[in-house]
Amino acid sequence: MSETARDAEAVSRFVESFAAQLVEAGMQRMAARVFAALLSSDEGAMSSAELGEQLRISPAAVSGAVRYLAQTHMVSREREPGSRRERYRVHGDQWYEALTNREAVIKRWEGALREGVESLGADTPAGRRMAETLAFFEFVEGEIAAMMERWRVHREKVFGDR
C-alpha cells in the first residue's frame, strides 16, 4: 500500500504513540516525533518541509530534532540530487548504530571512573562504590559487544544480506 493510500490519522496516531514511548525512555520529545515519522515512512526519508507538514511543527523544531538524531546516529542527512535541500533518512540498522555508538560513551565513563577510583582510593567507601560502578560498565560493554554479534548473525538469517 502506498503512503498516499494510508490512513493519515492512523499514521499520526502511531507516530505520536511510538514517540511517547521513546520520550518515556528518555529521548527528547521533538526528536522522538521526527524519528517516528521517518521510521513510518515507506522511503525512510523525508525533507524538512515534509516533516514539518506531517508533524505540524516549525522548521526550527525539525532542525533541532534532526541535529539531535544525527548526533545520536539515529538518522543521516543526505542531499537531494541537483538540489540544496536535505533529506533526513532513518536506516534499518539505526538501533544497531545507536547502541554501538553508546559503547564509545561507556568507554569514556570507564576512563573517568578509573580516575575516580585512583583519586578516591580503592579502599575508601567512595572508591569501592566507584570500582563497582566501573565493573558494571565493563560488564555491560562486554555484553553489548556479544549481543551485537549475535544480532548480526540473526539479522543475516532473518533478513539476508542488505
Side-chain angles (χ1 to χ4, degrees):
M1 168 164 34
S2 72
E3 287 189 340
T4 55
R6 289 185 183 178
D7 177 351
E9 278 300 310
V11 172
S12 181
R13 281 192 305 273
F14 164 77
V15 166
E16 296 305 325
S17 173
F18 189 55
Q21 295 298 315
L22 294 171
V23 168
E24 193 172 302
M27 188 181 280
Q28 297 174 0
R29 181 175 180 273
M30 205 54 66
R33 293 182 71 215
V34 167
F35 179 76
L38 288 168
L39 190 63
S40 66
S41 70
D42 278 342
E43 286 184 33
M46 299 172 80
S47 69
S48 179
E50 291 166 333
L51 285 163
E53 182 180 330
Q54 179 179 335
L55 299 172
R56 296 181 192 96
I57 59 177
S58 71
V62 171
S63 178
V66 168
R67 184 172 34 259
Y68 170 84
L69 291 167
Q71 288 171 345
T72 57
H73 304 279
M74 297 293 287
V75 301
S76 60
R77 299 172 193 253
E78 54 190 42
R79 290 261 185 226
E80 290 183 5
S83 170
R84 289 179 31 205
R85 286 183 14 162
E86 285 187 328
R87 291 181 63 76
Y88 309 110
R89 177 169 302 280
V90 66
H91 299 278
D93 63 349
Q94 74 276 348
W95 298 111
Y96 175 87
E97 288 296 321
L99 198 52
T100 299
N101 286 301
R102 284 284 173 221
E103 286 183 275
V105 172
I106 291 172
K107 281 276 193 210
R108 288 195 305 270
W109 290 351
E110 288 173 2
L113 288 164
R114 273 188 201 87
E115 289 178 20
V117 171
E118 289 174 18
S119 299
L120 298 167
D123 296 337
T124 67
R128 283 190 296 276
R129 207 171 30 253
M130 199 78 52
E132 184 176 346
T133 303
L134 171 59
F136 171 77
F137 284 117
E138 289 171 337
F139 174 82
V140 166
E141 181 185 5
E143 290 297 305
I144 289 173
M147 180 182 64
M148 296 313 273
E149 181 55 35
R150 289 191 310 273
W151 167 247
R152 282 189 290 275
V153 170
H154 178 75
R155 182 177 185 228
E156 174 70 28
K157 189 177 358 175
V158 173
F159 298 104
D161 191 25
R162 290 188 173 182

